[in-house]
Amino acid sequence: MRNRTSCLMILGLCLVVPAALHAQAIQITSDQGHTTSLNPEQIAKLPHVTVNATDHDTPAQFEGVPMAAVLGAVGITLGDTLRGERLTEVLLIEAADGYKVVFALAEFDPAFAPREIILADKRDGKPLTGKEGPFRIVAPGDKRQARWIRQVTGMKVVVVK
Ligand SMILES: Nc1nc2c(c(=O)[nH]1)N[C@H]1C(S)=C(S)[C@@H](COP(=O)(O)O)O[C@H]1N2
Ligand SMILES: [Mo]
């Protein structure tokens, strides 16, 4: 009996654990409609930077991946190709609670932007947890934090016409 209970528990874990890991992956869709999934392990391997930001008047140090590098990892390139019609491309970012925000792609390009917007995974040295994590956008210098979207689940390039 005990064995059967253990078996069922292990079976249950086998079903639940991959689902939970999958739920944490971020789905990124290009302007061609091609979706790539980036899981936490892949995101952890991308180059990280540290940015100092002010969160509701309180200084905070965030670590994360520059958005240009996140997009580059799934083949969405900025830089020299971001010109002409591509300047109408925006990134729609979605969260677990249904909250959504957009940034113009040019806002992530170091050639345009005076600041580095990141996909943060740590605050003051600690992984982002609960309603904030595991990933949150941090746009240093913003006077309002309304686009610092928490619990990011997906991103989609949308061409504004
Ligand atoms: N997923 C998600 N992110 C969100 C919001 C939200 O409702 N859902 N609210 C935004 C707004 S309006 C603000 S002011 C900040 C608040 O950040 P805080 O909860 O860390 O104080 O988060 C932003 N990010
Ligand atoms: Mo807000």
Side-chain angles (χ1 to χ4, degrees):
M1 197 57 194
R2 217 197 154 105
N3 270 347
R4 181 183 291 184
T5 311
S6 310
C7 260
L8 284 174
M9 277 177 66
I10 290 167
L11 180 68
L13 280 176
C14 289
L15 294 173
V16 167
V17 170
L21 284 177
H22 183 73
Q24 289 197 337
I26 298 179
Q27 309 296 322
I28 307 179
T29 305
S30 73
D31 60 344
Q32 307 293 314
H34 182 72
T35 301
T36 310
S37 172
L38 270 190
N39 65 36
E41 293 73 32
Q42 292 168 309
I43 295 169
K45 283 187 198 139
L46 295 174
H48 280 59
V49 295
T50 300
V51 300
N52 292 304
T54 306
D55 185 10
H56 296 96
D57 304 323
T58 309
Q61 193 177 62
F62 289 94
E63 285 165 60
V65 183
M67 278 302 293
V70 172
L71 297 176
V74 298
I76 299 168
T77 53
L78 307 178
D80 280 349
T81 62
L82 193 60
R83 57 174 69 233
E85 283 187 8
R86 284 203 66 213
L87 290 173
T88 66
E89 292 187 7
V90 302
L91 191 72
L92 175 67
I93 307 178
E94 296 175 300
D97 60 351
Y99 193 73
K100 293 181 182 134
V101 298
V102 298
F103 288 88
L105 284 194
E107 290 182 86
F108 302 135
D109 188 333
F112 284 87
R115 51 136 179 214
E116 201 157 44
I117 298 171
I118 64 167
L119 180 67
D121 52 14
K122 279 188 185 157
R123 174 201 280 260
D124 298 328
K126 297 187 201 92
L128 299 183
T129 54
K131 283 208 157 163
E132 192 173 27
F135 301 106
R136 176 183 204 172
I137 293 291
V138 171
D142 276 1
K143 290 200 274 182
R144 295 189 64 191
Q145 281 82 57
R147 288 197 297 173
W148 293 23
I149 181 168
R150 302 183 247 101
Q151 293 187 289
V152 173
T153 54
M155 305 180 181
K156 186 181 183 192
V157 176
V158 177
V159 183
V160 178
K161 294 202 172 149

